[in-house]
């Protein structure tokens, strides 16, 4: 049993690293800066801090903009604690003097909660898109507000982007689906 466990763990670790690297390629779309070394460092650290937040998950979307020493936080979250945790984490980065927190907390709704779960199953339960669920923070984020679904994040190919939107449209009770997924490597 131990002989099988070691190669399996090594494979899982390698796969996680490869998928994380692919997701990081597209994560830079959230950051803007002057291209100075200080701004670039802040941009990298903001991304790292946001991804490491303990309650950040597939039903949340965190984005940011770096302008000098000011960081603007954007996106949508299901838990109000995540909004304040994101602000606190970014404020602690050396060189950040001001944080403008524009993160929107999604309203509590049992129907939206059920839609989130159904969307997750429709997208990540489909062969071909299931590989995106194997990351610590899956790269396809499902934002549901008042029955309207928005897909955010990064995928590897245009076919995956189209397939995710197609699968999201199969869920009953959804009013609309907006596909804001980006293809890795494209601007």
């Amino acid at each position: 049993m131990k002989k099988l466990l070691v190669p399996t763990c090594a494979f899982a670790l390698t796969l996680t690293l490869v998928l994380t690297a692919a997701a990081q390629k597209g994560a830079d779309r959230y950051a803007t800066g002057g291209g100075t070394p200080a701004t670039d460092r802040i941009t990298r650290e903001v991304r790292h801090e946001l991804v490491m937040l303990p309650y950040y998950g597939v039903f949340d979307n965190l984005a940011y903009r770096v302008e000098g020493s000011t960081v603007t936080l954007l996106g949508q979250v299901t838990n109000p604690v995540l909004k304040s945790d994101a602000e606190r984490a970014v404020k602690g980065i050396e060189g950040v003097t001001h944080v403008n927190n524009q993160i929107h907390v999604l309203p509590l709704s049992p129907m939206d909660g059920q839609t989130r779960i159904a969307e997750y199953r429709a997208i990540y339960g489909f062969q071909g898109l299931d590989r995106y669920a194997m990351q610590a923070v899956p790269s396809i984020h499902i934002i549901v507000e008042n029955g309207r679904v928005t897909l955010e994040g990064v995928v590897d190919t245009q076919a995956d982007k189209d397939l995710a939107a197609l699968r999201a449209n199969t869920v009953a009770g959804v009013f609309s689906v907006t596909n804001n997924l980006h293809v890795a490597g494209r601007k």
Side-chain angles (χ1 to χ4, degrees), residues 48-122:
H48 174 75
E49 290 296 328
L50 294 179
V51 171
M52 296 302 293
L53 291 171
Y55 299 111
Y56 182 43
V58 70
F59 302 122
D60 304 304
N61 176 44
L62 292 177
Y64 59 92
R65 185 173 51 245
V66 177
E67 296 165 348
S69 62
T70 300
V71 177
T72 302
L73 296 174
L74 307 161
Q76 307 84 16
V77 295
T78 56
N79 186 345
V81 172
L82 185 56
K83 176 180 179 172
S84 58
D85 284 352
E87 182 174 353
R88 189 176 314 107
V90 171
K91 278 184 179 177
I93 296 173
E94 182 182 346
V96 174
T97 58
H98 183 353
V99 177
N100 180 8
N101 193 345
Q102 296 180 8
I103 296 172
H104 173 64
V105 178
L106 297 168
L108 290 175
S109 164
M111 291 300 291
D112 283 352
Q114 291 173 355
T115 301
R116 286 182 187 102
I117 293 169
E119 288 289 348
Y120 183 90
R121 289 179 179 155

Side-chain angles (χ1 to χ4, degrees), residues 6-30:
V6 172
T8 303
C9 289
F11 174 75
L13 179 61
T14 303
L15 182 61
T16 301
L17 292 174
V18 168
L19 291 174
T20 302
Q24 287 176 350
K25 287 180 190 176
D28 294 336
R29 71 183 174 88
Y30 296 114

Side-chain angles (χ1 to χ4, degrees), residues 92-183:
I93 296 173
E94 182 182 346
V96 174
T97 58
H98 183 353
V99 177
N100 180 8
N101 193 345
Q102 296 180 8
I103 296 172
H104 173 64
V105 178
L106 297 168
L108 290 175
S109 164
M111 291 300 291
D112 283 352
Q114 291 173 355
T115 301
R116 286 182 187 102
I117 293 169
E119 288 289 348
Y120 183 90
R121 289 179 179 155
I123 293 170
Y124 288 113
F126 191 76
Q127 187 175 5
L129 295 175
D130 56 350
R131 71 180 183 274
Y132 293 107
M134 294 183 203
Q135 302 167 14
V137 178
S139 63
I140 300 173
H141 294 267
I142 304 164
I143 309 305
V144 180
E145 184 172 13
N146 300 322
R148 289 169 177 75
V149 176
T150 303
L151 302 179
E152 298 280 353
V154 180
V155 292
D156 293 332
T157 65
Q158 182 67 39
D160 288 346
K161 176 181 176 176
D162 296 341
L163 184 57
L166 181 69
R167 296 296 303 163
N169 273 307
T170 65
V171 174
V174 171
F175 297 124
S176 67
V177 174
T178 303
N179 189 353
N180 291 338
L181 293 171
H182 292 268
V183 178

